[in-house]
Amino acid sequence: MAAPAPPGLGHSFYEQLMVQRRVIGALLMREMLTRYGRRNIGFLWLFAEPMMVTVVIAALWTARGLHQMSDIPIVAFVIIGYSGIQLWRNMSRRCIDAIEPNRALLRHRPVKMLDIYLARMLLEVAGTTTSFALLCVLFLIFSNQISPPEDILKVVFAWSLFAWFAMGMSLTLGALSELTTLVTKFWPPLIYILYPLSGAMFLVDALPHGFKEIVLYIPLVHANEMLRDGFFGSHFVAHYDLSYLVSWCLGLSITGLGLSYLTVEHRLS
């Protein structure tokens, strides 16, 4: 029996909301089965894969003795940096050219292009967030290489902004890829340029004065700095502007939604 529409809302609007929720849920299940299947550990690869990559990077950094260069826990530093990288990198890759393999689904009236993007983005957020949280808990319990976050609320808020930024950027890139093939050609190399500039591998406070001002124009740097400030802010001086990061998140979201609308108009024309 369907739940009654909340008071003050039109019955048709509430029904459409419930339909879209079921559509996104079905697309999420379809995406998991298509990507991971039912054999071996199945959908557990959703967070097992990013966990393994992050652990390997942390082991390499520790083996090179980088943990002796600062009193900042190197394992926590790597988990934060590479979890963030995997969030925006994997999400953007999944959204670019996401419509073509799912074109047949658009014949069903309830399914919209935005639903396909949302399903893929939410799946990446769920997988990377689970990986990030599990790694923090496991290293906290079984080793002394990571300490509890100094401000857990700031960590949660910063990670939420990180996810919001990644979703806005991925939605924009996904819609652009339907309008031009240049996105498919230029975004992969740009990812490798953003790796060292995203703030995942350095602290802004350790940079030379002139370069410090330049990297702070990159919104990903603000997200990384805020996330680290929540974990071990007493060990370094964090440099981030919350209003600047939120402005980028909001701007990318609006741009992505606008481009998605243009893409639909382009397909109908």
Side-chain angles (χ1 to χ4, degrees):
M1 181 175 179
L9 285 178
H11 188 68
S12 61
F13 172 78
Y14 182 69
E15 285 184 341
Q16 290 175 9
L17 192 63
M18 293 300 100
V19 168
Q20 292 309 113
R21 188 181 72 173
R22 291 195 295 269
V23 167
I24 293 175
L27 289 173
L28 277 169
M29 293 300 297
R30 179 180 182 274
E31 187 70 22
M32 282 194 293
L33 290 175
T34 302
R35 195 184 305 181
Y36 303 107
R38 300 176 184 271
R39 297 182 179 181
N40 299 320
I41 63 174
F43 76 94
L44 294 180
W45 277 112
L46 178 64
F47 55 87
E49 183 180 0
M51 282 181 68
M52 289 190 295
V53 173
T54 306
V55 167
V56 169
I57 297 297
L60 290 174
W61 281 39
T62 303
R64 293 180 61 183
L66 297 180
H67 61 291
Q68 301 174 356
M69 299 176 63
S70 172
D71 60 344
I72 294 177
I74 192 65
V75 172
F77 189 89
V78 173
I79 289 175
I80 293 168
Y82 278 86
S83 294
I85 283 179
Q86 292 185 85
L87 181 63
W88 60 263
R89 180 197 64 184
N90 294 347
M91 194 185 298
S92 62
R93 284 178 171 175
R94 294 293 181 183
C95 284
I96 291 175
D97 289 336
I99 303 301
E100 187 60 34
N102 295 284
R103 188 182 299 275
L105 295 175
L106 296 176
R107 297 176 182 175
H108 302 280
R109 183 173 297 180
V111 181
K112 306 294 190 295
M113 289 179 57
L114 186 60
D115 298 329
I116 296 173
Y117 289 131
L118 283 174
R120 291 196 165 199
M121 290 189 295
L122 290 173
L123 194 59
E124 293 301 329
V125 170
T128 312
T129 302
T130 304
S131 165
F132 177 52
L134 280 177
L135 284 173
C136 291
V137 171
L138 291 175
F139 274 100
L140 179 62
I141 294 175
F142 296 106
S143 77
N144 59 354
Q145 300 183 50
I146 187 171
S147 302
E150 296 180 3
D151 189 341
I152 186 64
L153 291 179
K154 183 176 288 185
V155 170
V156 173
F157 184 56
W159 185 257
S160 300
L161 288 178
F162 218 139
W164 183 13
F165 177 87
M167 292 178 75
M169 181 179 69
S170 301
L171 180 59
T172 300
L173 290 169
L176 276 175
S177 68
E178 296 298 316
L179 299 173
T180 173
T181 58
L182 292 177
V183 176
T184 308
K185 298 180 183 298
F186 283 100
W187 181 241
L190 283 175
I191 287 178
Y192 291 101
I193 296 175
L194 275 176
Y195 277 173
L197 298 176
S198 65
M201 305 177 185
F202 62 82
L203 294 174
V204 174
D205 197 56
L207 298 175
H209 182 71
F211 195 62
K212 186 183 301 183
E213 281 69 30
I214 295 175
V215 298
L216 284 175
Y217 283 106
I218 304 172
L220 286 168
V221 174
H222 294 259
N224 274 301
E225 286 284 299
M226 186 178 180
L227 200 53
R228 291 193 182 109
D229 190 30
F231 261 92
F232 37 79
S234 62
H235 293 274
F236 77 110
V237 178
H239 298 266
Y240 61 89
D241 185 338
L242 180 59
S243 60
Y244 182 75
L245 179 58
V246 171
S247 298
W248 265 95
C249 294
L250 190 60
L252 284 172
S253 299
I254 294 173
T255 302
L257 290 171
L259 287 172
S260 298
Y261 176 77
L262 288 177
T263 302
V264 174
E265 292 295 314
H266 176 72
R267 287 181 175 274
L268 294 175
S269 61

